[in-house]
Amino acid sequence: MTDFTAKYKRYQDAFEDVLNRFYDKLNVTPEILAESLKYSLKLGGKRIRPVLMYAVGDLLGIESDKLDNFALALELIHTYSLIHDDLPDMDNDDFRRGKPSNHKVFGADNAILAGDGLLNTAYSVLFGECFKGDGYISAAKYICDCAGIEGMIAGQSADLLHENDRTVDKDVLDFIYEHKTAKLIMAAVMTPSILCGGKYYSELKAFALNLGFLFQLTDDILDVEGSFENLGKSIGKDSAEGKYTGVRLYGLSGSKVKADLLAENCFKLLEAPDGDTAFLRDTVNFVRQRIN
Amino acid sequence: MTDFTAKYKRYQDAFEDVLNRFYDKLNVTPEILAESLKYSLKLGGKRIRPVLMYAVGDLLGIESDKLDNFALALELIHTYSLIHDDLPDMDNDDFRRGKPSNHKVFGADNAILAGDGLLNTAYSVLFGECFKGDGYISAAKYICDCAGIEGMIAGQSADLLHENDRTVDKDVLDFIYEHKTAKLIMAAVMTPSILCGGKYYSELKAFALNLGFLFQLTDDILDVEGSFENLGKSIGKDSAEGKYTGVRLYGLSGSKVKADLLAENCFKLLEAPDGDTAFLRDTVNFVRQRIN
């Protein structure tokens, strides 16, 4: 295990502890609601948003327990978005992280409620500690706006709108990348900055934007080159559905060149903060080279 | 126009002003997202939750501008829940307030996002003024919890779970009534109380619970006796779908007796607060006698 993977695992484990302590609060009535909420959270995944948040927190000197609620809320939001994305009326995806998607197990009706429930619970978690003051509230609102109708939901809507467009317009692709994917990465990276009164605000924001673009572009590349075994979800669906992807605009080899450029941008932007950015740089490489 | 209807209309108009000032913030990209959000909000309806909130605010001496954000957030939450309830995978209802439901106009995929968007925007609105302090935050969290997995969403989940049960169990019916319907009525009534440090907390909470039960029971009665013209939505659907309803448990005439009892409970509970409760008493009668 490299230093990077060991550290990534420490952050992941810290977040799993937060989640494990939280599951009790999901033991609501009816039981099927509780089970459907926990099912998707327990499917796991890379937990890259919480990991990024803790790592930027370390860089800026924010203790992890000050970030736990934000990391939790953000992962709840991310998980709700996957449940709703997979619905038959949306991407109609039967698999997620190698397991049946929420609606395949609990039915589309319960999956709609599970998504609604996770989204609402994210804010219940955040409101629970709003008394901690202005920085806390600003960070909570930032996450909320990144998730919302000028954030992720706008990106999902644009994604639907431009399905089956014959040509791919770069401005539209950039809009979708920024909103559908980068906004929640920005929420992860910017939370610690906002809690520090906006430390390295513009550099970290640009870093998160580039990393979000890189994340979505590698996703598009993997939809062509990846395997179901590694990804745990159906591949080749984006092009079959006429989705707007980087690969359609840049081609497969062009996308890899573009991905390298985005990674370079990230490295440059990480030169701004004082402190040890090795882990964040390794995370960029991890995203660039990921197979799942 | 009676004093009651004139006053009801004043509260409604005040809330429409709040909504009209807010629509600008929904002019997001893509346009279809903006349109789908506004479409369902503009379908109107009784606005009974905002009206109740302002009326209880008047009783407790809270100025309406202190309630605007809460009334707005609550109506956004209520509207999202209608959009998701009407989806083909949920109640599959083609009409709402006499017009095509959201998914009939924009498609189920956009309707899912419109619902998600309104829910998320409710919290963006509330976070926008959290700096106003502890009472504000407690009230915001109360609304959030009433909407959530121990509130309305639990009721919707139980409603699905017990569809097609052969018999109707009173405890289950009470759970569904309390959670699916009464919780958002409680949010409306309790917001002013919480902002006053919990004034008449237990009496108002019991009042809201009884009013919520009355509201759902008259809904069940109207599903049998009402007309599409008045209701603006399909009737007879609940029994066709084997839904848990008061009419199934109490019978039609038994439901009317029960409704009168719930109204009596409301009147008794309104004796507690000092001040003019005439409008709230009339609102109880309005709910009892409503035809839409």
Side-chain angles (χ1 to χ4, degrees):
Chain A
M1 199 183 270
T2 64
D3 283 357
F4 170 72
T5 50
K7 196 163 183 184
Y8 198 101
K9 191 169 182 312
R10 278 207 301 282
Y11 286 131
Q12 270 183 328
D13 290 348
F15 182 68
E16 293 305 323
D17 286 345
V18 171
L19 263 182
N20 284 328
R21 288 197 298 273
F22 178 70
Y23 286 131
D24 263 357
K25 299 211 173 135
L26 297 180
N27 286 333
V28 293
T29 303
E31 202 179 338
I32 191 172
L33 177 60
E35 293 310 313
S36 65
L37 297 166
K38 287 186 281 185
Y39 177 80
S40 288
L41 284 171
K42 288 186 176 178
L43 286 182
K46 290 176 287 296
R47 311 291 195 201
I48 193 166
R49 292 159 199 79
V51 168
L52 275 169
M53 195 187 288
Y54 289 127
V56 176
D58 269 349
L59 177 67
L60 302 182
I62 297 201
E63 280 161 47
S64 68
D65 61 349
K66 293 217 166 66
L67 296 171
D68 288 343
N69 261 12
F70 295 105
L72 179 56
L74 189 53
E75 192 70 6
L76 293 173
I77 291 167
H78 169 61
T79 306
Y80 114 75
S81 77
L82 299 182
I83 295 175
H84 281 189
D85 270 348
D86 287 341
L87 284 169
D89 283 326
M90 301 283 284
D91 284 354
N92 193 20
D93 221 316
D94 289 353
F95 291 95
R96 175 62 67 178
R97 311 199 202 280
K99 300 259 176 66
S101 17
N102 196 293
H103 66 88
K104 292 300 285 184
V105 180
F106 299 99
D109 46 7
N110 285 304
I112 291 167
L113 292 181
D116 295 344
L118 290 175
L119 176 58
N120 200 81
T121 302
Y123 298 117
S124 189
V125 166
L126 289 178
F127 279 123
E129 305 212 358
C130 267
F131 59 85
K132 286 187 173 172
D134 286 358
Y136 184 98
I137 294 163
S138 300
K141 184 162 197 311
Y142 191 86
I143 290 178
C144 186
D145 289 339
C146 284
I149 60 173
E150 296 187 75
M152 180 182 67
I153 291 171
Q156 293 171 303
S157 178
D159 204 26
L160 291 176
L161 180 65
H162 294 283
E163 233 172 47
N164 303 315
D165 278 8
R166 288 195 175 188
T167 56
V168 178
D169 177 279
K170 181 170 183 302
D171 287 344
V172 171
L173 185 75
D174 284 352
F175 184 92
I176 293 173
Y177 268 45
E178 176 176 345
H179 292 81
K180 187 176 77 166
T181 311
K183 283 283 183 180
L184 287 199
I185 303 286
M186 290 160 79
V189 168
M190 298 313 289
T191 296
S193 167
I194 293 168
L195 290 175
C196 290
K199 207 167 181 185
Y200 303 118
Y201 192 92
S202 56
E203 296 90 344
L204 285 174
K205 195 171 167 189
F207 163 71
L209 186 65
N210 276 277
L211 184 59
F213 271 62
L214 176 61
F215 193 89
Q216 186 54 51
L217 189 55
T218 52
D219 211 62
D220 291 352
I221 293 170
L222 287 169
D223 189 62
V224 178
E225 285 197 330
S227 68
F228 177 83
E229 288 66 34
N230 287 326
L231 284 168
K233 63 181 180 181
S234 316
I235 61 164
K237 283 198 73 207
D238 291 344
S239 56
E241 285 170 1
K243 286 243 179 195
Y244 247 70
T245 69
V247 175
R248 271 181 73 200
L249 182 64
Y250 303 114
L252 188 57
S253 53
S255 294
K256 293 175 184 178
V257 173
K258 175 82 180 170
D260 290 335
L261 277 171
L262 290 164
E264 283 305 318
N265 292 346
C266 289
F267 296 139
K268 266 181 224 144
L269 288 157
L270 284 175
E271 287 169 14
D274 276 332
D276 184 0
T277 57
F279 179 81
L280 290 171
R281 278 185 278 117
D282 289 341
T283 303
V284 174
N285 282 322
F286 166 70
V287 171
R288 172 69 190 90
Q289 291 153 14
R290 72 203 181 95
I291 56 167
N292 66 18
Chain B
M1 199 183 269
T2 65
D3 284 358
F4 169 72
T5 49
K7 196 164 183 183
Y8 198 100
K9 191 169 180 315
R10 277 207 302 282
Y11 286 130
Q12 270 182 329
D13 289 348
F15 182 67
E16 293 304 324
D17 285 346
V18 172
L19 263 182
N20 284 328
R21 287 196 299 273
F22 178 70
Y23 285 131
D24 264 356
K25 298 210 175 139
L26 298 179
N27 286 334
V28 294
T29 303
E31 203 179 337
I32 191 172
L33 177 60
E35 293 310 313
S36 65
L37 297 167
K38 287 187 281 185
Y39 177 80
S40 288
L41 284 171
K42 289 185 176 179
L43 286 182
K46 291 175 287 295
R47 311 292 194 199
I48 193 165
R49 292 159 198 80
V51 168
L52 275 169
M53 196 186 287
Y54 288 127
V56 176
D58 269 349
L59 177 67
L60 302 183
I62 297 201
E63 281 162 47
S64 67
D65 62 348
K66 293 218 166 68
L67 296 170
D68 288 344
N69 261 12
F70 295 106
L72 179 57
L74 188 53
E75 192 70 6
L76 293 172
I77 291 168
H78 170 61
T79 307
Y80 114 76
S81 77
L82 299 182
I83 295 174
H84 280 189
D85 269 349
D86 287 342
L87 284 169
D89 283 325
M90 301 283 285
D91 283 355
N92 193 22
D93 222 316
D94 288 354
F95 291 96
R96 174 64 65 178
R97 311 200 203 280
K99 298 262 177 65
S101 16
N102 196 293
H103 66 89
K104 292 300 283 184
V105 180
F106 300 99
D109 46 6
N110 285 303
I112 291 168
L113 291 182
D116 295 344
L118 290 175
L119 176 58
N120 200 81
T121 302
Y123 297 117
S124 189
V125 165
L126 289 177
F127 279 123
E129 305 212 0
C130 267
F131 59 86
K132 286 185 173 171
D134 286 357
Y136 184 99
I137 294 163
S138 300
K141 184 164 197 309
Y142 191 85
I143 291 178
C144 186
D145 289 339
C146 283
I149 60 172
E150 296 186 76
M152 179 182 67
I153 291 171
Q156 292 171 303
S157 178
D159 204 28
L160 292 176
L161 180 65
H162 294 284
E163 234 174 45
N164 304 315
D165 278 7
R166 287 195 176 190
T167 55
V168 179
D169 177 278
K170 182 171 182 303
D171 288 344
V172 171
L173 184 74
D174 285 351
F175 184 91
I176 292 173
Y177 268 44
E178 176 177 346
H179 291 81
K180 187 175 75 164
T181 311
K183 283 283 182 180
L184 287 200
I185 302 286
M186 290 161 79
V189 168
M190 299 312 290
T191 296
S193 167
I194 293 167
L195 290 176
C196 289
K199 207 167 179 185
Y200 303 118
Y201 192 92
S202 57
E203 296 90 343
L204 286 174
K205 194 171 168 189
F207 162 71
L209 185 66
N210 276 277
L211 184 59
F213 271 63
L214 177 61
F215 193 90
Q216 186 55 50
L217 189 54
T218 51
D219 210 63
D220 290 351
I221 292 169
L222 288 169
D223 190 62
V224 178
E225 285 197 330
S227 68
F228 178 83
E229 288 66 33
N230 287 327
L231 285 168
K233 62 181 181 180
S234 315
I235 61 164
K237 283 198 73 205
D238 292 344
S239 57
E241 285 171 0
K243 286 243 178 194
Y244 247 69
T245 69
V247 175
R248 271 180 72 198
L249 182 64
Y250 302 115
L252 188 57
S253 53
S255 294
K256 292 176 183 179
V257 173
K258 175 81 183 171
D260 290 334
L261 277 171
L262 290 165
E264 284 304 320
N265 291 346
C266 290
F267 296 139
K268 264 181 226 146
L269 288 157
L270 284 175
E271 289 169 12
D274 277 332
D276 184 1
T277 57
F279 180 81
L280 290 171
R281 278 185 278 117
D282 289 342
T283 303
V284 174
N285 282 323
F286 166 69
V287 171
R288 172 69 190 89
Q289 291 152 15
R290 71 201 179 99
I291 57 167
N292 65 19

